[in-house]
Amino acid sequence: MTPLPDRYCPTDGVRVPSDSLAWCCPSCHGPLDLDFTPIPASLKSLTGRVNSLWRYAETLPLPAPTVSLGEGRTPLVTLTDEVSAKLDFLMPTLSFKDRGAVLLAEVGLRAGPRRVVADSSGNAGTAIAAYCARARLPCTVYVPLGTSAKKLEQIEAHGARPTVVDGDREAAGRAARRAADEPDTFYASHVYNPYFLHGTKTYVHELWEDLGGRLPEVLVLPVGNGTLLLGAALAIAELYRAGLLNRRPALWAVQAAAVAPLAHAWEQGAEDLTGTTTVAPTYAEGIAVPRPPRARQILRAVRDSGGTFLTVTEDRIRHAQLDLASRGLYVESTSAVCWAAVRDRPLGGKSAVVPLCGAGLKSGLARP
């Protein structure tokens, strides 16, 4: 097999060999990045390639897949003269998390562990369960109390074992990490494992291709753990470095006002999280993350792009979900936060794209 790149800690530079099952930096216990600098293909050379995210093979740290379900290449549709939506809920497991889950399953297949563990508030868990099923890897997904019954059903249907933790999203993460420290266990973490970010970056590579070698002036992205935003930042850097992009878009990061640790840090001009985050119930449960492990990286990516942070109230989230449904787009409430942030916001003629990340069938309508 083609050797995989090593991982390294972005904080202290400690390197982790590619064949290690270690899931974090052995020194500071933070998330890892990948020692990988790809050169994207030109638009012309993409003609005739496979119609999935694997058409961007030069940008991916893995060779041709064995567990693909045809993920990627989702449509881009117009919402207003300025704003378009990318329909990433039209994926095999009905969420954008398939972009990263397929890479985690490929890495897990190479590692050949006794079992795979993951933690999730729902969508990442369903995606990892599906791709582990495809790879014939036994999988346990730790989820917080209150996770959508439909998402639990989907995890079980794929043959994985959902384990409900009596606590919030962070409690589920702690339980998964305890399990990940057991021998011969692969932690398919969409937060700590950098392969997931290299999957989500294909969201931007698709936009770049569909828009004829350019990107909108603004990318509006939901942020909990920040996996889509950080993947977007990776892709933008790759395209710009290769001379395939003349202008880099601003990243607008959106959080629910009820759980907005990054937005609060941004307001204070901080480079990392500050103090204790106030947490209230929110319709946007998929991004209700009080202490994202990659907070410093997220804040830096938004700052370097010339972007900003926006927050949306519960009422705006609910109305945005209903408005999208009235336009024929039935998405879960977390997926409505970006539209909630820009629906009534003057953009001054700037072009923007919002992602619709998860299908409404996964959790239903937000109810007042």
Side-chain angles (χ1 to χ4, degrees):
M1 287 187 180
T2 305
L4 299 180
D6 287 344
R7 291 162 291 157
Y8 70 93
C9 176
T11 301
D12 54 31
V14 172
R15 299 183 71 83
V16 177
S18 61
D19 59 355
S20 170
L21 285 174
W23 55 267
C24 67
C25 172
S27 175
C28 71
H29 307 294
L32 300 170
D33 283 348
L34 208 58
D35 188 3
F36 177 64
T37 305
I39 301 176
S42 66
L43 276 178
K44 185 180 292 186
S45 66
L46 295 174
T47 303
R49 293 194 182 189
V50 62
N51 195 37
S52 74
L53 63 80
W54 294 94
R55 68 195 282 106
Y56 311 107
E58 292 88 347
T59 72
L60 297 172
L62 287 163
T66 58
V67 301
S68 175
L69 291 167
E71 55 286 332
R73 299 298 290 147
T74 55
L76 185 67
V77 301
T78 299
L79 293 179
T80 69
D81 290 342
E82 296 172 319
V83 183
S84 296
K86 188 159 173 59
L87 311 190
D88 253 27
F89 65 92
L90 298 179
M91 289 274 197
T93 76
L94 306 182
S95 92
F96 88 96
K97 296 290 176 63
D98 291 3
R99 293 186 184 277
V102 64
L103 268 71
L104 291 185
E106 288 286 350
V107 176
L109 194 60
R110 284 176 171 241
R114 176 176 56 86
R115 68 166 179 163
V116 175
V117 298
D119 57 281
S120 169
S121 60
N123 283 337
T126 60
I128 290 165
Y131 284 93
C132 281
R134 185 76 164 173
R136 297 292 187 266
L137 290 169
C139 178
T140 300
V141 182
Y142 292 85
V143 300
L145 193 66
T147 296
S148 162
K150 295 178 181 179
K151 293 177 181 179
L152 293 175
E153 181 180 328
Q154 189 179 358
I155 290 169
E156 278 191 300
H158 291 310
R161 183 166 67 92
T163 299
V164 179
V165 176
D166 187 11
D168 60 10
R169 179 67 184 80
E170 287 195 323
R174 288 192 296 270
R177 291 191 288 275
R178 286 194 297 270
D181 286 332
E182 296 177 11
D184 203 22
T185 300
F186 176 64
Y187 184 24
S189 172
H190 60 292
V191 181
Y192 283 84
N193 194 308
Y195 281 91
F196 196 91
L197 304 182
H198 283 268
T200 62
K201 75 183 181 184
T202 58
Y203 172 87
V204 163
H205 283 289
E206 289 178 18
L207 280 177
W208 172 80
E209 182 182 0
D210 289 343
L211 294 174
R214 62 181 181 85
L215 289 174
E217 291 163 278
V218 178
L219 289 177
V220 190
L221 299 159
V223 175
N225 279 309
T227 54
L228 185 54
L229 185 141
L230 290 173
L234 276 175
I236 292 165
E238 290 170 3
L239 291 165
Y240 190 79
R241 186 170 53 239
L244 297 172
L245 197 61
N246 294 325
R247 171 188 45 77
R248 286 181 279 196
L251 302 178
W252 289 7
V254 184
Q255 296 205 286
V259 187
L262 291 159
H264 293 155
W266 178 265
E267 289 171 2
Q268 296 171 38
E271 294 184 357
D272 207 340
L273 298 180
T274 57
T276 302
T277 299
T278 301
V279 177
T282 177
Y283 296 133
E285 46 85 20
I287 56 171
V289 181
R291 297 198 65 80
R294 293 186 183 269
R296 179 179 287 270
Q297 288 176 277
I298 297 165
L299 289 162
R300 184 172 64 245
V302 174
R303 187 175 294 110
D304 289 349
S305 78
T308 191
F309 275 82
L310 305 172
T311 60
V312 289
T313 64
E314 298 304 292
D315 194 52
R316 287 172 66 189
I317 294 170
R318 185 172 64 85
H319 283 98
Q321 185 189 27
L322 290 170
D323 182 64
L324 287 167
S326 75
R327 298 166 184 258
L329 300 167
Y330 185 41
V331 299
E332 60 181 346
S333 49
T334 300
S335 291
V337 297
C338 290
W339 181 232
V342 299
R343 182 163 68 118
D344 301 317
R345 184 184 183 90
L347 297 179
K350 291 181 179 178
S351 59
V353 171
V354 300
L356 302 183
C357 298
L361 295 173
K362 284 174 166 277
S363 54
L365 285 171
R367 302 290 184 183

